[in-house]
Amino acid sequence: MNVEVLIYSYMAICASMIVFNCVCVFVFKRREKKLDHRNSALAIQMQKEVEEIHSGRSVSEKHRRYLQKKLRYTGNLLTFDETIGVLQTEYPEETEQYLLQNRSVFIYLTLEFEGKSRMKEAYLAYLLEKYKLSANMPIDMISNAMLSLLKEKSLYCRENALHVLYSTGNAENVVKAIKVLDRNGEFHHGKLLCDGLLTFTGDHGQLIGMIWSQMEEFSKDMKATLLNYIRFKSGGYETEMMSLMKDEKQDDEVRFACIRYFGKYHYPPALPFLLKFCGMEDENRWEYAAIAVETLYLYPGDETTEMLKKSLYSSNWYVRYNAAQSLVRMGFTYSDLADIFTGNDRYASEILEYMLEHKDIYEEERKKESDAI
Amino acid sequence: MMDGIKFFLKCVECFFVIYLIGYSSFLFLSVCVGSSSLYNAKRKEKMKNVLLHDYYVPVTIVVPAYNEEITVVDTVKSLLCLEYKLFEIIVVDDGSKDHTSDEMIKAFDMHLIKRPIHKSVDCQPEEFVYETTLQKVPLTLIRKKNGGKADALNMGINAARYPYFICMDADSVLQYDSLEKIVRPVLEDDTVVAVGGAVRPSNNVELAYGRVRKYNLPKNIIACMQVLEYDRSFLASRILFDKFNGTLIISGAFGLFKKETVIAAGGYDHGTMGEDMELVVKLHQFCRSNAIPYSIRYATDAICWTQAPEKLGDLMKQRKRWHLGLFQTLWKHKTLMTDPKYGVVGFVSYVYFLVYELLSPFIEVFGVLTMILAFFVDLINIPFMLLFFGIYAVFGAVLSITAFLARIHTIDLKVSFKDTMKALSLCLFEISVLRFILAFVRLTAFIGYRKKKLNWGRIERKKINWN
């Protein structure tokens, strides 16, 4: 190849990059101005309508048509969101009315955006949730659009759609959504789902009841997530948890979630099983022991103390750590545990000494804090 | 004889044409991909295509410190300002000769405690442990026998209570939202084992409680040129590598790792100066060898502000250390290139670092020597050579400025007209002068390299202005 050709190509690339940078600077400056202009046009119209509501009138059909036309564009959607924020501080009640009276615009937009721009769909879902626009709307229309968003690859689409469904307060739709997510196969972090379910605005009892009745239809990961949600929300499901915990065919993570449940809610019939798990220390099942030992502080008694002391001598670090923590949480003192300190196991006495010291320091620091107050 | 020289020069010419086409194409591609990713990310953020979640994954921040009495307290104070719900801070004093530990104990009213530490990865023994729960999050200080930065980080991993840990430098400041941003990839994908953050020079930047109060380019020219260099490197090439899971470097100044995988891979290597790069390469090798699905990501919006060296001597020391670290890592993991099971990481990322990073100073010096030879045998076209250098410098400078502008446009920072002009004028100087100085430094990095085995690579420290 002729080297000159190469040189000229690089010169051309340099020139095009310089042009690109100049265009970018220009476009960004212009877009800012343009957005301001659009802001003012749309914002003025919106403010006018809110003022109309303030003086006792309703949103006009013309304004609805105007919004339908304008809000199809990203920039205007952003403007709408910003303007509502401003109006909410000036006219809170009127703005709420304005949003209520314009819900039909959002139904139109939901259908308009479906399958076209995922980013816009996700943003619309965000707006629906933020301004509670989906409340009292024809559930099928919104929920169908949101359920279809749940099949998307984009996590943000799915999350925003889920939040709309949580905010509708309809348990049936939420269970449907969980099933769609579960079958979809896209990874959706259990923490996001669990925390999201906790924000559900409807009847949690009804939702949990529906989840229990269909529990076996969910995958093992989903089951564990749902059990964690139930643990955070309610203490009335001991029998169901117990039967899952005992079922050896269940996945380890599912059984771990059940064991943790009994570490939050005291249920004496679970104790024999928890003690049995504490004894499971083989290399592949040490997590059973580590988690069960952590729950035992809720079940004081000789048998528990004996098991916790025994667990202090475990070869597994986490079992020892959790056993020491449980003993200290149960209120045992240095003198109560003298046999451990005078024993031959350095690891057992070290971890126990640390937990006791940590507790003393913690209490001392809290005292210092309250004295300072 | 003359024919032989002519043939040799022809071969060299061909080699350099291929070499430069490769390099410039890579630079061009990386700046284009990087810029478009940033613009896209900004659009997503605007349209709330982000996680709006205020409860995240629990994280341990490990701060390795050696003779950091000037900065360590302010670093920890800045960490306590982070807007994140669940984290702990572990400062590991690697046998400092100054009062690093004393400053920590005094400033945070810490208590001596006999804490046993589970040694999952090798490290020197601890001398004492202090803890406090008086702060917003649990704070631990571990003083250990000196063993180097990697050893201190391993101690931090051993003491970490949470499943993910962040490594950072004791002279850096994390932006208020950096934890939230660096954790996001973990919530998006459960195979993520490491996430790199974006490191930016903090010289002359006014920070208040982890927030940028005023952004200015550094007054010092050397630091200013590093801003451009960091932009090109972090915003361009790292984004490109991220696209195909080929990231080989996560800066030691700010990176998040999955503790379980790091422990399984053996933790940080004590015997290398580039422990940060070595760990990432090791994670690639470990996961691919064991057929573990994994990904190593780069979070462009997770920002760490760090002090860039302002003296040429300090910069040279730093780059020498980096180059030796690069050599040690590539040498240790040479099978990455020869074994096809490592795929794109081996034949793209590894080859790039080998040819354009490790060997580039040698290749560049070889090129200069060839020019001298060509000059003596009168086979050089001087005007053409000057034109070639000119184009090369302008090309590099234009890409640097593109990366710089992409950052400015996509991150809500305001840069004054004066600073923009400064960046424009320095980008050419950086590519045509500083780059050659640093190439010389890298070339001579191997002189006396064994002596520096456990060196912490000191540069002059300044007090961090965190509020």
Side-chain angles (χ1 to χ4, degrees), chain B residues 7 10-12 33 82 85 156 165 188 195 197 203 209 233 273 282-283 293 305-306 314 329 341 362 396 426 430:
Chain B
F7 176 72
K10 191 78 199 160
C11 292
V12 172
V33 171
L82 288 170
K85 288 211 169 155
F165 73 90
E188 290 170 6
V195 186
N203 312 45
Y209 302 98
S233 160
M273 286 182 201
K282 186 156 58 188
L283 287 174
W305 297 94
T306 194
D314 281 342
T329 303
K341 78 172 167 224
F362 298 95
L426 280 178
E430 187 258 323

Coordinates of all heavy atoms in Angstrom, one line a residue, chain B residues 7 10-12 33 82 85 156 165 188 195 197 203 209 233 273 282-283 293 305-306 314 329 341 362 396 426 430:
Chain B
F7 N 16.8 -3.7 2.3 CA 15.9 -4.7 2.6 C 15.4 -4.6 4.1 O 14.2 -4.7 4.4 CB 16.5 -6.1 2.3 CG 15.6 -7.2 2.7 CD1 14.4 -7.5 1.9 CD2 15.8 -8.0 3.8 CE1 13.6 -8.5 2.2 CE2 14.9 -9.1 4.1 CZ 13.8 -9.3 3.4
K10 N 13.1 -1.7 4.5 CA 11.8 -2.0 3.9 C 11.0 -2.9 4.9 O 9.8 -2.6 5.1 CB 12.0 -2.8 2.6 CG 10.8 -3.0 1.7 CD 10.5 -1.7 1.0 CE 9.1 -1.7 0.5 NZ 8.6 -0.3 0.2
C11 N 11.6 -3.9 5.5 CA 10.9 -4.7 6.5 C 10.4 -3.9 7.6 O 9.3 -4.0 8.1 CB 11.8 -5.8 7.0 SG 12.3 -7.0 5.7
V12 N 11.4 -3.0 8.1 CA 11.0 -2.1 9.3 C 9.8 -1.3 8.9 O 8.9 -1.1 9.7 CB 12.2 -1.3 9.7 CG1 11.8 -0.3 10.8 CG2 13.3 -2.2 10.3
V33 N -16.3 4.1 20.5 CA -17.1 3.2 21.3 C -17.3 3.9 22.7 O -18.4 3.9 23.2 CB -16.5 1.8 21.5 CG1 -17.2 1.0 22.5 CG2 -16.5 1.1 20.1
L82 N -20.0 8.7 52.4 CA -20.6 8.0 51.3 C -22.1 7.8 51.5 O -22.5 7.4 52.6 CB -19.9 6.7 51.1 CG -18.5 6.7 50.5 CD1 -17.9 5.3 50.5 CD2 -18.5 7.2 49.1
K85 N -26.0 2.5 52.2 CA -26.6 2.0 53.5 C -25.8 1.0 54.2 O -25.7 1.0 55.5 CB -28.0 1.5 53.2 CG -28.9 2.6 52.9 CD -30.3 2.3 53.4 CE -31.2 3.5 53.3 NZ -32.6 3.2 53.2
G156 N -7.0 -7.4 54.5 CA -8.3 -6.8 54.4 C -9.4 -7.8 54.0 O -10.5 -7.8 54.5
F165 N -15.9 -6.8 48.3 CA -15.0 -5.8 48.9 C -14.5 -4.8 47.9 O -14.5 -5.1 46.7 CB -13.8 -6.5 49.6 CG -12.8 -7.1 48.7 CD1 -11.7 -6.4 48.3 CD2 -12.9 -8.4 48.3 CE1 -10.8 -6.9 47.4 CE2 -12.0 -9.0 47.5 CZ -10.9 -8.2 47.0
E188 N -27.2 -6.2 38.2 CA -27.6 -6.5 36.8 C -27.3 -7.9 36.4 O -28.0 -8.5 35.5 CB -26.9 -5.5 35.9 CG -27.4 -4.1 36.0 CD -26.6 -3.1 35.2 OE1 -25.7 -3.5 34.5 OE2 -26.8 -1.9 35.4
V195 N -15.6 -5.3 39.4 CA -16.1 -4.1 38.7 C -15.0 -3.0 38.9 O -14.6 -2.8 40.1 CB -17.4 -3.5 39.2 CG1 -17.9 -2.4 38.4 CG2 -18.5 -4.6 39.3
G197 N -13.8 0.9 38.8 CA -14.3 2.3 38.8 C -13.5 3.2 38.0 O -12.4 2.9 37.5
N203 N -6.3 16.8 41.6 CA -5.6 18.0 41.8 C -6.4 19.3 41.3 O -6.9 19.3 40.2 CB -4.3 18.0 40.9 CG -3.5 16.6 41.1 OD1 -4.2 15.6 41.1 ND2 -2.3 16.7 41.3
Y209 N -17.4 16.8 51.0 CA -18.1 15.6 51.4 C -18.4 14.7 50.2 O -19.5 14.2 50.0 CB -19.4 16.0 52.2 CG -19.1 16.9 53.4 CD1 -19.3 18.2 53.3 CD2 -18.7 16.3 54.6 CE1 -19.0 19.1 54.4 CE2 -18.4 17.1 55.6 CZ -18.6 18.5 55.6 OH -18.3 19.3 56.6
S233 N -7.6 6.9 28.6 CA -7.4 5.5 29.1 C -8.7 5.0 29.7 O -9.2 3.9 29.3 CB -6.3 5.4 30.1 OG -6.4 4.3 30.9
M273 N 4.5 -6.1 41.5 CA 4.2 -4.7 41.8 C 2.9 -4.2 41.3 O 2.3 -3.2 41.7 CB 5.3 -3.8 41.2 CG 6.6 -3.9 42.0 SD 7.8 -2.8 41.2 CE 9.3 -3.6 41.8
K282 N -5.6 -12.9 36.8 CA -5.8 -14.2 37.5 C -7.3 -14.6 37.5 O -7.6 -15.8 37.4 CB -5.2 -14.0 38.9 CG -5.2 -15.3 39.7 CD -4.2 -15.4 40.8 CE -4.3 -14.3 41.8 NZ -3.2 -14.2 42.7
L283 N -8.1 -13.6 37.8 CA -9.6 -14.0 37.8 C -10.0 -14.5 36.4 O -10.8 -15.5 36.4 CB -10.4 -12.7 38.2 CG -10.3 -12.3 39.7 CD1 -11.1 -11.0 39.9 CD2 -10.9 -13.4 40.6
P293 N -18.9 -19.3 34.7 CA -19.4 -18.2 34.0 C -19.1 -16.9 34.8 O -19.3 -16.9 36.0 CB -20.9 -18.4 33.9 CG -21.2 -19.7 34.5 CD -20.0 -20.2 35.3
W305 N -11.6 10.0 43.2 CA -10.7 11.1 42.9 C -9.4 10.8 43.6 O -9.3 10.5 44.7 CB -11.3 12.4 43.5 CG -12.5 12.8 42.8 CD1 -13.8 12.5 43.2 CD2 -12.7 13.6 41.6 NE1 -14.7 13.0 42.3 CE2 -14.0 13.7 41.3 CE3 -11.8 14.1 40.7 CZ2 -14.5 14.3 40.2 CZ3 -12.2 14.8 39.6 CH2 -13.6 14.9 39.3
T306 N -8.3 10.9 42.8 CA -7.0 10.6 43.3 C -6.0 11.6 43.0 O -6.1 12.4 42.1 CB -6.5 9.2 42.7 OG1 -5.5 8.7 43.5 CG2 -6.1 9.3 41.3
D314 N 8.2 12.0 40.5 CA 7.2 11.1 41.1 C 6.4 10.4 40.0 O 6.1 9.2 40.2 CB 6.2 12.0 41.9 CG 6.7 12.3 43.3 OD1 7.7 11.7 43.7 OD2 6.2 13.3 43.9
T329 N 3.0 -9.3 35.5 CA 1.7 -10.0 35.3 C 1.7 -10.7 34.0 O 1.2 -11.9 33.9 CB 0.6 -8.9 35.3 OG1 0.7 -8.2 36.5 CG2 -0.8 -9.5 35.2
K341 N -8.3 -21.7 24.9 CA -9.4 -21.7 25.8 C -9.7 -20.3 26.5 O -10.8 -20.0 27.0 CB -9.4 -22.7 26.9 CG -8.5 -22.5 28.0 CD -8.6 -23.6 29.1 CE -7.5 -23.4 30.1 NZ -6.9 -24.6 30.5
F362 N 10.2 -0.3 23.6 CA 11.3 -0.9 22.9 C 11.1 -0.7 21.4 O 12.0 -0.4 20.7 CB 11.3 -2.4 23.2 CG 11.6 -2.7 24.7 CD1 10.5 -2.9 25.5 CD2 12.9 -2.7 25.2 CE1 10.7 -3.2 26.9 CE2 13.1 -2.9 26.5 CZ 12.0 -3.2 27.4
G396 N -3.3 11.5 17.7 CA -3.4 11.2 19.1 C -4.1 12.3 19.9 O -4.9 12.1 20.8
L426 N -2.6 21.5 25.6 CA -1.8 20.5 26.2 C -1.9 19.1 25.6 O -0.9 18.3 25.7 CB -2.0 20.4 27.7 CG -1.4 21.5 28.6 CD1 -1.8 21.3 30.0 CD2 0.1 21.5 28.5
E430 N 1.2 16.6 25.3 CA 1.1 15.3 26.0 C 1.5 14.2 25.1 O 2.3 13.3 25.4 CB -0.3 15.1 26.6 CG -0.4 13.9 27.5 CD -1.1 12.7 26.8 OE1 -2.0 12.8 26.0 OE2 -0.6 11.6 27.1

